[in-house]
Amino acid sequence: MPASPSTARAINDRLALRLLQDQGPLTAGQLKDLTGLSRPTVADLVERLQDSGLVRVVGEAGAERRGPNARLYGIVADRAHLAALDVRTTSVSVVVTDLLGATLAEASLPMEGHSDGPALERAVAVLERTVERAGVRRLHSVGIGAPGLIDPATGELRDSASLPAWHRRLVPALQERLHARVLVENETNLAAVAELREGAARDRDTFVLLWLGHGVGAAVLLDGRLRRGASGGAGEIGFLPVPGTGSLPSATGCAGGFHALAGSSAIRALAGEYGVEHAPGDEGGEPAGAVAVRAALAAGADDFLDALADRLALGAAAVSAVLDPGCVVLGGEAGHAGGPGLAARVETRLAALSPLRTEVRAGALGGAAVLRGALLTVRDAAQDELFGPSR
């Protein structure tokens, strides 16, 4: 059944806006060539998009030629302003951007040693100050990356004894103070989105990201889509029972699970067993495990790196056996610090544990992937609202 005229116009407008976002600014002639639409249709859609305030003339093409020049059209980037936050137990990082993602201001703030009330106020205040410094009057949307489970029914951060209470109170506090739409997503899922769109997995639509930061986690992408599970807990690999921990995890703690082998403190302890040292204060907010991996690489501590690869291969083998993703990305600060060398070690051991061919790659974005993923997610949501949903 052919699309109605209004539906066809909406589809054409959305196509043009995506082209202007990815390749703009563009002339009407370039839009005609890229869309395959007729010249009158392109002229109509350009007029509609200008009338709606989404597109404007930003210059002229062919200024070196004699005669009239074609107008260049671009998206009105200041039509909406966005913010993204990476909210951890020890820190908050924030970035404020325009609709196209250009950074206007950014900041970070340590959160250790603050009780829930002061921590919540500090988190809200650092965003408000960053918005003010960016010269923005009002935010359209805010994206938050946080540890913990996201309730698939409500989209809210679920109650967890392992997380500070201010994490759960942050979303309503921001909605009240900023009057903006606030979206929250698990930090590991957002890191996977960033690695998919801009990092180590750009050529993959199916992979698992193994997060190696302060804690451990996994994000599952199948056919280009995040899979969160029935309760939002897909990828809680820290609770995975594995050999070498001496005990089993429980419903209230993952001390006997994979976390006990691959969490930041476990990696640092393993490094100490192999004599890998780093100067006190080297962390500077970076997980100790990542600092230990970097120190080991600098010192040529192959024995430690081999032992760490043995541990990581256990988690990767379990993921491979259940999901057969074909690719595991070692994300987070420690995965990024280990680079291709650690990834190659893990891949070799994984090949010995599983008959399923699984490539192992180092994450390209490290800890910055959470903030980047939050921004990409909130930008997509804002553009869907302003441009009209994808069809």
Side-chain angles (χ1 to χ4, degrees):
M1 180 177 179
S4 67
S6 61
T7 299
R9 285 194 295 271
I11 293 172
N12 292 340
D13 290 356
R14 177 72 183 211
L15 174 59
L17 285 164
R18 284 302 180 192
L19 288 169
L20 288 168
Q21 173 189 311
D22 296 337
Q23 302 182 38
L26 299 169
T27 65
Q30 289 170 323
L31 282 171
K32 172 183 175 297
D33 293 339
L34 290 169
T35 61
L37 300 172
S38 67
R39 191 175 300 278
T41 299
V42 170
D44 287 343
L45 75 82
V46 167
E47 184 177 355
R48 276 196 307 275
L49 294 176
Q50 287 188 95
D51 290 343
S52 69
L54 291 171
V55 166
R56 64 185 170 203
V57 177
V58 296
E60 292 184 342
E64 71 283 355
R65 295 188 293 107
R66 297 177 63 183
N69 299 313
R71 294 176 175 179
L72 279 169
Y73 298 96
I75 290 176
V76 180
D78 58 3
R79 171 68 183 271
H81 294 97
L82 315 170
L85 288 85
D86 179 359
V87 178
R88 308 199 185 190
T89 56
T90 59
S91 65
V92 171
S93 298
V94 57
V95 60
V96 176
T97 77
D98 63 22
L99 185 59
L100 290 178
T103 298
L104 303 177
E106 52 191 336
S108 60
L109 192 68
M111 302 298 288
E112 289 181 294
H114 293 275
S115 58
D116 283 322
L120 177 64
E121 180 57 34
R122 280 167 62 85
V124 175
V126 70
L127 175 56
E128 289 178 328
R129 290 195 300 270
T130 308
V131 170
E132 183 178 359
R133 195 166 68 251
V136 172
R137 291 184 179 180
R138 181 181 179 276
L139 289 176
H140 179 281
S141 302
V142 179
I144 300 176
L149 303 182
I150 307 300
D151 189 319
T154 66
E156 297 175 352
L157 190 63
R158 288 174 53 184
D159 190 5
S160 172
S162 62
L163 293 177
W166 69 267
H167 277 210
R168 298 188 305 278
R169 295 165 54 197
L170 181 59
V171 170
L174 290 176
Q175 289 172 330
E176 180 180 350
R177 293 267 284 268
L178 301 175
H179 304 290
R181 179 173 60 170
V182 181
L183 308 174
V184 62
E185 178 60 271
N186 173 267
E187 61 180 357
T188 306
N189 285 344
L190 291 177
V193 168
E195 292 287 1
L196 172 69
R197 300 267 292 270
E198 300 180 347
R202 281 175 290 180
D203 62 336
R204 307 284 309 199
D205 64 359
T206 295
F207 70 98
V208 168
L209 180 130
L210 184 59
W211 178 260
L212 303 170
H214 287 288
V216 297
V220 180
L221 276 101
L222 303 178
D223 301 322
R225 293 182 56 194
L226 277 170
R227 306 294 176 167
R228 297 176 176 84
S231 64
E236 285 295 312
I237 198 172
F239 287 87
L240 180 72
V242 290
T245 62
S247 62
L248 291 174
S250 71
T252 58
C254 55
F258 185 58
H259 176 85
L261 296 183
S264 182
S265 59
I267 294 175
R268 182 172 186 174
L270 181 67
E273 294 176 15
Y274 284 87
V276 177
E277 299 180 355
H278 60 271
D282 273 356
E283 286 89 343
E286 184 178 35
V291 177
V293 170
R294 190 172 290 109
L297 288 168
D302 290 337
D303 289 348
F304 160 72
L305 294 170
D306 287 340
L308 177 58
D310 287 339
R311 291 185 173 192
L312 298 180
L314 292 175
V319 166
S320 178
V322 174
L323 296 174
D324 187 19
C327 179
V328 171
V329 175
L330 302 182
E333 290 87 351
H336 180 64
L342 179 60
R345 283 177 160 89
V346 175
E347 183 173 321
T348 297
R349 285 153 180 80
L350 181 54
L353 292 173
S354 171
L356 304 176
R357 175 72 177 91
T358 306
E359 181 184 5
V360 180
R361 302 179 180 180
L365 304 175
V370 177
L371 192 63
R372 189 60 191 164
L375 177 59
L376 289 169
T377 300
V378 76
R379 191 181 75 185
D380 286 349
Q383 290 180 350
D384 280 346
E385 179 179 320
L386 294 171
F387 297 175
S390 301
R391 289 178 170 82

